[in-house]
Amino acid sequence: MSITYGKRISLRRIGPVIDKVNIILSAAIILSAVVIVLDLEKYLFMFPVIFTLAALMNGLMAFKCYKMAERIRMLFLLIAFALLVALSVVGFIVTL
């Protein structure tokens, strides 16, 4: 019983922080997309940045789901995290 209580306290502290970081990451993704729309050829390097920010967001959400004991949702978020990290790496290699 105390283990569950400890997880709830930890989630109460960390949950709002993760939500605020996700809002900041979302704003950065939208800003990056707007920059890409302005001039695609000049800002081609921004595509891997978008994938990296999205990977970070999915990783944070997977951590939050882990703390909430939502295993299936955490698994899907980790798969999305891995896919986006792979796309980021490929994107950085291509833009070099």
Side-chain angles (χ1 to χ4, degrees):
M1 187 167 186
S2 65
I3 293 173
T4 306
Y5 183 70
K7 282 187 177 182
R8 286 184 185 162
I9 290 174
S10 176
L11 184 61
R12 281 188 197 153
R13 290 181 187 164
I14 239 173
V17 174
I18 290 175
D19 291 338
K20 289 175 185 169
V21 171
N22 278 338
I23 291 170
I24 293 169
L25 288 173
S26 299
I29 290 170
I30 291 170
L31 182 66
S32 299
V34 169
V35 168
I36 288 174
V37 168
L38 294 177
D39 189 5
L40 180 63
E41 293 175 359
K42 185 176 178 184
Y43 298 111
L44 188 62
F45 68 92
M46 294 295 283
F47 277 108
V49 171
I50 290 174
F51 290 129
T52 304
L53 292 172
L56 285 172
M57 192 171 2
N58 278 312
L60 286 172
M61 286 304 297
F63 178 72
K64 186 175 177 182
C65 288
Y66 171 74
K67 286 291 193 180
M68 293 171 49
E70 295 178 3
R71 302 291 184 216
I72 295 174
R73 186 173 176 199
M74 181 193 70
L75 180 66
F76 285 120
L77 286 168
L78 286 176
I79 290 170
F81 171 76
L83 179 65
L84 288 167
V85 167
L87 287 173
S88 298
V89 169
V90 169
F92 281 121
I93 291 171
V94 168
T95 56
L96 292 177

